[in-house]
PDB file of all heavy atoms in Angstrom:
ATOM      1  N   SER A 121      38.052  -3.064  73.171  1.00 96.00           N
ATOM      2  CA  SER A 121      37.151  -4.144  72.831  1.00 96.00           C
ATOM      3  C   SER A 121      35.649  -3.639  72.632  1.00 96.00           C
ATOM      4  O   SER A 121      35.007  -3.962  71.655  1.00 96.00           O
ATOM      5  CB  SER A 121      37.206  -5.371  73.685  1.00 96.00           C
ATOM      6  OG  SER A 121      38.435  -5.880  73.639  1.00 96.00           O
ATOM      7  N   LEU A 122      35.313  -2.795  73.726  1.00 94.00           N
ATOM      8  CA  LEU A 122      34.002  -2.331  73.549  1.00 94.00           C
ATOM      9  C   LEU A 122      33.700  -1.301  72.512  1.00 94.00           C
ATOM     10  O   LEU A 122      32.691  -1.348  71.738  1.00 94.00           O
ATOM     11  CB  LEU A 122      33.652  -1.684  74.914  1.00 94.00           C
ATOM     12  CG  LEU A 122      33.418  -2.484  76.155  1.00 94.00           C
ATOM     13  CD1 LEU A 122      33.129  -1.508  77.312  1.00 94.00           C
ATOM     14  CD2 LEU A 122      32.200  -3.309  75.958  1.00 94.00           C
ATOM     15  N   VAL A 123      34.719  -0.565  72.232  1.00 96.00           N
ATOM     16  CA  VAL A 123      34.753   0.441  71.140  1.00 96.00           C
ATOM     17  C   VAL A 123      34.585  -0.335  69.834  1.00 96.00           C
ATOM     18  O   VAL A 123      33.721  -0.041  68.917  1.00 96.00           O
ATOM     19  CB  VAL A 123      35.907   1.467  71.132  1.00 96.00           C
ATOM     20  CG1 VAL A 123      35.953   2.165  69.735  1.00 96.00           C
ATOM     21  CG2 VAL A 123      35.892   2.321  72.276  1.00 96.00           C
ATOM     22  N   ASN A 124      35.488  -1.421  69.719  1.00 97.00           N
ATOM     23  CA  ASN A 124      35.344  -2.284  68.369  1.00 97.00           C
ATOM     24  C   ASN A 124      33.930  -2.883  68.263  1.00 97.00           C
ATOM     25  O   ASN A 124      33.439  -2.901  67.190  1.00 97.00           O
ATOM     26  CB  ASN A 124      36.479  -3.157  68.411  1.00 97.00           C
ATOM     27  CG  ASN A 124      37.841  -2.576  68.204  1.00 97.00           C
ATOM     28  OD1 ASN A 124      37.979  -1.473  67.817  1.00 97.00           O
ATOM     29  ND2 ASN A 124      38.919  -3.406  68.748  1.00 97.00           N
ATOM     30  N   LEU A 125      33.479  -3.448  69.308  1.00 96.00           N
ATOM     31  CA  LEU A 125      32.174  -4.026  69.280  1.00 96.00           C
ATOM     32  C   LEU A 125      31.081  -3.200  68.822  1.00 96.00           C
ATOM     33  O   LEU A 125      30.229  -3.295  67.937  1.00 96.00           O
ATOM     34  CB  LEU A 125      31.840  -4.482  70.705  1.00 96.00           C
ATOM     35  CG  LEU A 125      30.327  -5.024  70.909  1.00 96.00           C
ATOM     36  CD1 LEU A 125      30.059  -6.254  70.005  1.00 96.00           C
ATOM     37  CD2 LEU A 125      30.123  -5.277  72.339  1.00 96.00           C
ATOM     38  N   TRP A 126      30.907  -1.864  69.446  1.00 95.00           N
ATOM     39  CA  TRP A 126      29.860  -0.948  69.148  1.00 95.00           C
ATOM     40  C   TRP A 126      30.177  -0.306  67.816  1.00 95.00           C
ATOM     41  O   TRP A 126      29.126  -0.065  67.042  1.00 95.00           O
ATOM     42  CB  TRP A 126      29.847   0.130  70.251  1.00 95.00           C
ATOM     43  CG  TRP A 126      29.195  -0.570  71.558  1.00 95.00           C
ATOM     44  CD1 TRP A 126      29.805  -0.819  72.701  1.00 95.00           C
ATOM     45  CD2 TRP A 126      27.829  -1.130  71.610  1.00 95.00           C
ATOM     46  NE1 TRP A 126      28.952  -1.515  73.501  1.00 95.00           N
ATOM     47  CE2 TRP A 126      27.695  -1.665  72.968  1.00 95.00           C
ATOM     48  CE3 TRP A 126      26.730  -1.149  70.746  1.00 95.00           C
ATOM     49  CZ2 TRP A 126      26.555  -2.193  73.288  1.00 95.00           C
ATOM     50  CZ3 TRP A 126      25.543  -1.621  71.214  1.00 95.00           C
ATOM     51  CH2 TRP A 126      25.402  -2.261  72.449  1.00 95.00           C
ATOM     52  N   THR A 127      31.388  -0.230  67.277  1.00 98.00           N
ATOM     53  CA  THR A 127      31.552   0.326  66.077  1.00 98.00           C
ATOM     54  C   THR A 127      31.039  -0.717  64.987  1.00 98.00           C
ATOM     55  O   THR A 127      30.333  -0.263  63.981  1.00 98.00           O
ATOM     56  CB  THR A 127      33.186   0.508  65.691  1.00 98.00           C
ATOM     57  OG1 THR A 127      33.562   1.550  66.684  1.00 98.00           O
ATOM     58  CG2 THR A 127      33.359   0.889  64.358  1.00 98.00           C
ATOM     59  N   ALA A 128      31.409  -1.937  65.131  1.00 98.00           N
ATOM     60  CA  ALA A 128      30.947  -3.013  64.216  1.00 98.00           C
ATOM     61  C   ALA A 128      29.382  -3.217  64.248  1.00 98.00           C
ATOM     62  O   ALA A 128      28.783  -3.259  63.267  1.00 98.00           O
ATOM     63  CB  ALA A 128      31.675  -4.293  64.558  1.00 98.00           C
ATOM     64  N   TYR A 129      28.899  -3.091  65.449  1.00 96.00           N
ATOM     65  CA  TYR A 129      27.339  -3.212  65.583  1.00 96.00           C
ATOM     66  C   TYR A 129      26.697  -2.102  64.911  1.00 96.00           C
ATOM     67  O   TYR A 129      25.672  -2.249  64.273  1.00 96.00           O
ATOM     68  CB  TYR A 129      26.968  -3.408  67.049  1.00 96.00           C
ATOM     69  CG  TYR A 129      25.605  -3.624  67.206  1.00 96.00           C
ATOM     70  CD1 TYR A 129      24.966  -4.940  66.872  1.00 96.00           C
ATOM     71  CD2 TYR A 129      24.672  -2.778  67.767  1.00 96.00           C
ATOM     72  CE1 TYR A 129      23.713  -5.212  67.011  1.00 96.00           C
ATOM     73  CE2 TYR A 129      23.403  -2.983  67.981  1.00 96.00           C
ATOM     74  CZ  TYR A 129      22.888  -4.279  67.720  1.00 96.00           C
ATOM     75  OH  TYR A 129      21.589  -4.568  67.800  1.00 96.00           O
ATOM     76  N   ASN A 130      27.159  -0.904  65.217  1.00 95.00           N
ATOM     77  CA  ASN A 130      26.465   0.236  64.532  1.00 95.00           C
ATOM     78  C   ASN A 130      26.671   0.256  62.989  1.00 95.00           C
ATOM     79  O   ASN A 130      25.609   0.605  62.212  1.00 95.00           O
ATOM     80  CB  ASN A 130      27.047   1.601  65.138  1.00 95.00           C
ATOM     81  CG  ASN A 130      26.384   1.889  66.396  1.00 95.00           C
ATOM     82  OD1 ASN A 130      25.045   2.106  66.450  1.00 95.00           O
ATOM     83  ND2 ASN A 130      27.078   1.731  67.547  1.00 95.00           N
ATOM     84  N   ARG A 131      27.667  -0.132  62.467  1.00 97.00           N
ATOM     85  CA  ARG A 131      27.871  -0.339  61.070  1.00 97.00           C
ATOM     86  C   ARG A 131      26.848  -1.384  60.460  1.00 97.00           C
ATOM     87  O   ARG A 131      26.301  -1.104  59.392  1.00 97.00           O
ATOM     88  CB  ARG A 131      29.320  -0.727  60.654  1.00 97.00           C
ATOM     89  CG  ARG A 131      30.278   0.433  60.749  1.00 97.00           C
ATOM     90  CD  ARG A 131      31.685   0.119  60.367  1.00 97.00           C
ATOM     91  NE  ARG A 131      32.428   1.254  60.473  1.00 97.00           N
ATOM     92  CZ  ARG A 131      33.750   1.212  60.667  1.00 97.00           C
ATOM     93  NH1 ARG A 131      34.318   0.100  60.822  1.00 97.00           N
ATOM     94  NH2 ARG A 131      34.424   2.292  60.705  1.00 97.00           N
ATOM     95  N   HIS A 132      26.687  -2.346  61.264  1.00 97.00           N
ATOM     96  CA  HIS A 132      25.730  -3.464  60.865  1.00 97.00           C
ATOM     97  C   HIS A 132      24.357  -2.910  60.829  1.00 97.00           C
ATOM     98  O   HIS A 132      23.563  -3.102  59.884  1.00 97.00           O
ATOM     99  CB  HIS A 132      25.851  -4.641  61.874  1.00 97.00           C
ATOM    100  CG  HIS A 132      24.783  -5.600  61.691  1.00 97.00           C
ATOM    101  ND1 HIS A 132      24.787  -6.474  60.578  1.00 97.00           N
ATOM    102  CD2 HIS A 132      23.754  -5.975  62.458  1.00 97.00           C
ATOM    103  CE1 HIS A 132      23.702  -7.280  60.741  1.00 97.00           C
ATOM    104  NE2 HIS A 132      23.081  -7.008  61.798  1.00 97.00           N
ATOM    105  N   LEU A 133      23.976  -2.068  61.850  1.00 90.00           N
ATOM    106  CA  LEU A 133      22.679  -1.512  61.895  1.00 90.00           C
ATOM    107  C   LEU A 133      22.424  -0.478  60.748  1.00 90.00           C
ATOM    108  O   LEU A 133      21.283  -0.468  60.124  1.00 90.00           O
ATOM    109  CB  LEU A 133      22.438  -0.638  63.183  1.00 90.00           C
ATOM    110  CG  LEU A 133      22.205  -1.614  64.433  1.00 90.00           C
ATOM    111  CD1 LEU A 133      22.138  -0.787  65.667  1.00 90.00           C
ATOM    112  CD2 LEU A 133      21.132  -2.550  64.362  1.00 90.00           C
ATOM    113  N   CYS A 134      23.504   0.214  60.369  1.00 89.00           N
ATOM    114  CA  CYS A 134      23.484   1.102  59.244  1.00 89.00           C
ATOM    115  C   CYS A 134      23.184   0.397  57.955  1.00 89.00           C
ATOM    116  O   CYS A 134      22.496   0.773  57.148  1.00 89.00           O
ATOM    117  CB  CYS A 134      24.677   2.009  59.039  1.00 89.00           C
ATOM    118  SG  CYS A 134      24.863   3.189  60.361  1.00 89.00           S
ATOM    119  N   ALA A 135      23.782  -0.736  57.839  1.00 93.00           N
ATOM    120  CA  ALA A 135      23.597  -1.547  56.629  1.00 93.00           C
ATOM    121  C   ALA A 135      22.162  -2.060  56.594  1.00 93.00           C
ATOM    122  O   ALA A 135      21.614  -2.128  55.505  1.00 93.00           O
ATOM    123  CB  ALA A 135      24.567  -2.753  56.620  1.00 93.00           C
ATOM    124  N   ILE A 136      21.616  -2.360  57.708  1.00 89.00           N
ATOM    125  CA  ILE A 136      20.283  -2.774  57.744  1.00 89.00           C
ATOM    126  C   ILE A 136      19.313  -1.715  57.310  1.00 89.00           C
ATOM    127  O   ILE A 136      18.442  -1.847  56.456  1.00 89.00           O
ATOM    128  CB  ILE A 136      19.698  -3.381  59.096  1.00 89.00           C
ATOM    129  CG1 ILE A 136      20.520  -4.725  59.275  1.00 89.00           C
ATOM    130  CG2 ILE A 136      18.335  -3.458  59.288  1.00 89.00           C
ATOM    131  CD1 ILE A 136      20.361  -5.147  60.814  1.00 89.00           C
ATOM    132  N   LEU A 137      19.570  -0.519  57.891  1.00 82.00           N
ATOM    133  CA  LEU A 137      18.780   0.651  57.582  1.00 82.00           C
ATOM    134  C   LEU A 137      18.851   0.976  56.093  1.00 82.00           C
ATOM    135  O   LEU A 137      17.890   1.416  55.364  1.00 82.00           O
ATOM    136  CB  LEU A 137      19.123   1.853  58.432  1.00 82.00           C
ATOM    137  CG  LEU A 137      18.681   1.650  59.901  1.00 82.00           C
ATOM    138  CD1 LEU A 137      19.325   2.926  60.629  1.00 82.00           C
ATOM    139  CD2 LEU A 137      17.175   1.672  60.107  1.00 82.00           C
ATOM    140  N   ASP A 138      20.079   0.836  55.502  1.00 87.00           N
ATOM    141  CA  ASP A 138      20.285   1.216  54.061  1.00 87.00           C
ATOM    142  C   ASP A 138      19.388   0.323  53.202  1.00 87.00           C
ATOM    143  O   ASP A 138      19.179   0.629  52.130  1.00 87.00           O
ATOM    144  CB  ASP A 138      21.690   1.089  53.762  1.00 87.00           C
ATOM    145  CG  ASP A 138      22.590   2.347  54.130  1.00 87.00           C
ATOM    146  OD1 ASP A 138      21.837   3.409  54.494  1.00 87.00           O
ATOM    147  OD2 ASP A 138      23.727   2.190  54.165  1.00 87.00           O
ATOM    148  N   SER A 139      19.182  -0.929  53.581  1.00 91.00           N
ATOM    149  CA  SER A 139      18.443  -1.877  52.888  1.00 91.00           C
ATOM    150  C   SER A 139      16.975  -1.827  52.945  1.00 91.00           C
ATOM    151  O   SER A 139      16.178  -2.390  52.208  1.00 91.00           O
ATOM    152  CB  SER A 139      18.848  -3.363  53.188  1.00 91.00           C
ATOM    153  OG  SER A 139      18.399  -3.683  54.490  1.00 91.00           O
ATOM    154  N   LEU A 140      16.393  -0.999  53.862  1.00 88.00           N
ATOM    155  CA  LEU A 140      14.936  -0.849  54.071  1.00 88.00           C
ATOM    156  C   LEU A 140      14.437   0.000  52.955  1.00 88.00           C
ATOM    157  O   LEU A 140      14.947   0.918  52.456  1.00 88.00           O
ATOM    158  CB  LEU A 140      14.623  -0.250  55.362  1.00 88.00           C
ATOM    159  CG  LEU A 140      15.011  -1.045  56.657  1.00 88.00           C
ATOM    160  CD1 LEU A 140      14.705  -0.125  57.766  1.00 88.00           C
ATOM    161  CD2 LEU A 140      14.257  -2.342  56.683  1.00 88.00           C
ATOM    162  N   PRO A 141      13.166  -0.324  52.441  1.00 89.00           N
ATOM    163  CA  PRO A 141      12.444   0.460  51.512  1.00 89.00           C
ATOM    164  C   PRO A 141      12.093   1.881  52.098  1.00 89.00           C
ATOM    165  O   PRO A 141      11.918   2.018  53.362  1.00 89.00           O
ATOM    166  CB  PRO A 141      11.072  -0.179  51.309  1.00 89.00           C
ATOM    167  CG  PRO A 141      11.275  -1.569  51.809  1.00 89.00           C
ATOM    168  CD  PRO A 141      12.350  -1.478  52.938  1.00 89.00           C
ATOM    169  N   ALA A 142      12.289   2.910  51.284  1.00 79.00           N
ATOM    170  CA  ALA A 142      12.078   4.284  51.719  1.00 79.00           C
ATOM    171  C   ALA A 142      10.813   4.611  52.599  1.00 79.00           C
ATOM    172  O   ALA A 142      10.855   5.288  53.621  1.00 79.00           O
ATOM    173  CB  ALA A 142      12.231   5.237  50.532  1.00 79.00           C
ATOM    174  N   GLY A 143       9.727   3.955  52.127  1.00 85.00           N
ATOM    175  CA  GLY A 143       8.452   4.227  52.948  1.00 85.00           C
ATOM    176  C   GLY A 143       8.451   3.671  54.378  1.00 85.00           C
ATOM    177  O   GLY A 143       7.827   4.244  55.151  1.00 85.00           O
ATOM    178  N   VAL A 144       9.268   2.774  54.555  1.00 87.00           N
ATOM    179  CA  VAL A 144       9.423   2.209  56.058  1.00 87.00           C
ATOM    180  C   VAL A 144       9.963   3.189  56.929  1.00 87.00           C
ATOM    181  O   VAL A 144       9.630   3.169  58.191  1.00 87.00           O
ATOM    182  CB  VAL A 144      10.068   0.897  56.058  1.00 87.00           C
ATOM    183  CG1 VAL A 144      10.327   0.284  57.342  1.00 87.00           C
ATOM    184  CG2 VAL A 144       9.355  -0.150  55.248  1.00 87.00           C
ATOM    185  N   LEU A 145      10.971   3.976  56.440  1.00 83.00           N
ATOM    186  CA  LEU A 145      11.619   4.913  57.389  1.00 83.00           C
ATOM    187  C   LEU A 145      10.727   5.959  57.969  1.00 83.00           C
ATOM    188  O   LEU A 145      11.169   6.491  59.055  1.00 83.00           O
ATOM    189  CB  LEU A 145      12.823   5.473  56.617  1.00 83.00           C
ATOM    190  CG  LEU A 145      13.874   4.520  56.164  1.00 83.00           C
ATOM    191  CD1 LEU A 145      14.912   5.315  55.349  1.00 83.00           C
ATOM    192  CD2 LEU A 145      14.437   3.784  57.171  1.00 83.00           C
ATOM    193  N   SER A 146       9.606   6.315  57.484  1.00 86.00           N
ATOM    194  CA  SER A 146       8.777   7.321  57.982  1.00 86.00           C
ATOM    195  C   SER A 146       7.715   6.770  59.029  1.00 86.00           C
ATOM    196  O   SER A 146       7.090   7.488  59.551  1.00 86.00           O
ATOM    197  CB  SER A 146       8.115   8.172  56.893  1.00 86.00           C
ATOM    198  OG  SER A 146       7.249   7.166  56.194  1.00 86.00           O
ATOM    199  N   ALA A 147       7.765   5.468  59.138  1.00 86.00           N
ATOM    200  CA  ALA A 147       6.708   4.778  59.986  1.00 86.00           C
ATOM    201  C   ALA A 147       7.115   5.195  61.463  1.00 86.00           C
ATOM    202  O   ALA A 147       8.251   5.103  61.870  1.00 86.00           O
ATOM    203  CB  ALA A 147       6.780   3.377  59.814  1.00 86.00           C
ATOM    204  N   PRO A 148       6.142   5.615  62.350  1.00 85.00           N
ATOM    205  CA  PRO A 148       6.432   5.975  63.656  1.00 85.00           C
ATOM    206  C   PRO A 148       6.728   4.725  64.587  1.00 85.00           C
ATOM    207  O   PRO A 148       5.977   3.718  64.212  1.00 85.00           O
ATOM    208  CB  PRO A 148       5.133   6.679  64.109  1.00 85.00           C
ATOM    209  CG  PRO A 148       4.093   6.203  63.217  1.00 85.00           C
ATOM    210  CD  PRO A 148       4.684   5.835  61.895  1.00 85.00           C
ATOM    211  N   CYS A 149       7.684   4.772  65.309  1.00 81.00           N
ATOM    212  CA  CYS A 149       8.002   3.661  66.322  1.00 81.00           C
ATOM    213  C   CYS A 149       7.875   4.312  67.651  1.00 81.00           C
ATOM    214  O   CYS A 149       8.285   5.449  67.975  1.00 81.00           O
ATOM    215  CB  CYS A 149       9.538   3.368  66.112  1.00 81.00           C
ATOM    216  SG  CYS A 149       9.776   2.597  64.455  1.00 81.00           S
ATOM    217  N   ASN A 150       7.245   3.412  68.524  1.00 79.00           N
ATOM    218  CA  ASN A 150       7.125   3.799  69.939  1.00 79.00           C
ATOM    219  C   ASN A 150       8.169   3.019  70.714  1.00 79.00           C
ATOM    220  O   ASN A 150       8.133   1.815  70.682  1.00 79.00           O
ATOM    221  CB  ASN A 150       5.696   3.414  70.438  1.00 79.00           C
ATOM    222  CG  ASN A 150       4.594   4.179  69.667  1.00 79.00           C
ATOM    223  OD1 ASN A 150       4.617   5.382  69.488  1.00 79.00           O
ATOM    224  ND2 ASN A 150       3.720   3.478  69.206  1.00 79.00           N
ATOM    225  N   ILE A 151       9.036   3.809  71.540  1.00 74.00           N
ATOM    226  CA  ILE A 151       9.843   3.132  72.498  1.00 74.00           C
ATOM    227  C   ILE A 151       9.649   3.685  73.857  1.00 74.00           C
ATOM    228  O   ILE A 151       9.851   4.873  74.134  1.00 74.00           O
ATOM    229  CB  ILE A 151      11.286   3.444  72.029  1.00 74.00           C
ATOM    230  CG1 ILE A 151      11.548   2.873  70.612  1.00 74.00           C
ATOM    231  CG2 ILE A 151      12.355   2.660  72.940  1.00 74.00           C
ATOM    232  CD1 ILE A 151      12.859   3.184  70.073  1.00 74.00           C
ATOM    233  N   GLY A 152       9.204   2.804  74.804  1.00 73.00           N
ATOM    234  CA  GLY A 152       8.972   3.324  76.155  1.00 73.00           C
ATOM    235  C   GLY A 152       7.808   4.400  76.234  1.00 73.00           C
ATOM    236  O   GLY A 152       6.902   4.268  75.447  1.00 73.00           O
ATOM    237  N   GLN A 153       8.020   5.351  76.899  1.00 77.00           N
ATOM    238  CA  GLN A 153       7.108   6.439  77.082  1.00 77.00           C
ATOM    239  C   GLN A 153       7.301   7.719  76.343  1.00 77.00           C
ATOM    240  O   GLN A 153       6.653   8.608  76.275  1.00 77.00           O
ATOM    241  CB  GLN A 153       7.098   6.840  78.582  1.00 77.00           C
ATOM    242  CG  GLN A 153       6.891   5.862  79.604  1.00 77.00           C
ATOM    243  CD  GLN A 153       5.439   5.227  79.477  1.00 77.00           C
ATOM    244  OE1 GLN A 153       4.510   5.827  79.169  1.00 77.00           O
ATOM    245  NE2 GLN A 153       5.405   3.923  79.600  1.00 77.00           N
ATOM    246  N   ALA A 154       8.320   7.613  75.444  1.00 79.00           N
ATOM    247  CA  ALA A 154       8.726   8.685  74.499  1.00 79.00           C
ATOM    248  C   ALA A 154       7.688   8.819  73.415  1.00 79.00           C
ATOM    249  O   ALA A 154       6.934   7.926  73.201  1.00 79.00           O
ATOM    250  CB  ALA A 154      10.091   8.512  73.969  1.00 79.00           C
ATOM    251  N   GLU A 155       7.632   9.932  72.797  1.00 85.00           N
ATOM    252  CA  GLU A 155       6.720  10.293  71.727  1.00 85.00           C
ATOM    253  C   GLU A 155       7.175   9.347  70.561  1.00 85.00           C
ATOM    254  O   GLU A 155       8.348   9.123  70.398  1.00 85.00           O
ATOM    255  CB  GLU A 155       6.778  11.772  71.228  1.00 85.00           C
ATOM    256  CG  GLU A 155       6.002  12.614  72.339  1.00 85.00           C
ATOM    257  CD  GLU A 155       4.628  12.510  72.377  1.00 85.00           C
ATOM    258  OE1 GLU A 155       3.900  12.295  71.339  1.00 85.00           O
ATOM    259  OE2 GLU A 155       4.133  12.347  73.487  1.00 85.00           O
ATOM    260  N   PRO A 156       6.245   8.933  69.765  1.00 85.00           N
ATOM    261  CA  PRO A 156       6.709   8.129  68.470  1.00 85.00           C
ATOM    262  C   PRO A 156       7.596   8.943  67.609  1.00 85.00           C
ATOM    263  O   PRO A 156       7.469  10.186  67.455  1.00 85.00           O
ATOM    264  CB  PRO A 156       5.264   7.847  67.785  1.00 85.00           C
ATOM    265  CG  PRO A 156       4.204   7.937  68.941  1.00 85.00           C
ATOM    266  CD  PRO A 156       4.770   9.014  69.802  1.00 85.00           C
TER     267      PRO A 156
END
């Protein structure tokens, strides 16, 4: 059930990323203390 959940969720995230304009993908994102 967990594998199915995360498979479906990651496919959903991929579909979202595929729909973003190309220029947005190069924008830096800050998460926690990691480098952008």
Side-chain angles (χ1 to χ4, degrees):
S121 294
L122 287 176
V123 170
N124 292 340
L125 168 68
W126 289 108
T127 299
Y129 186 67
N130 280 289
R131 286 184 177 149
H132 174 69
L133 291 177
C134 288
I136 292 170
L137 290 173
D138 283 344
S139 70
L140 293 175
V144 173
L145 297 177
S146 63
C149 295
N150 299 312
I151 302 174
Q153 301 300 317
E155 288 294 316

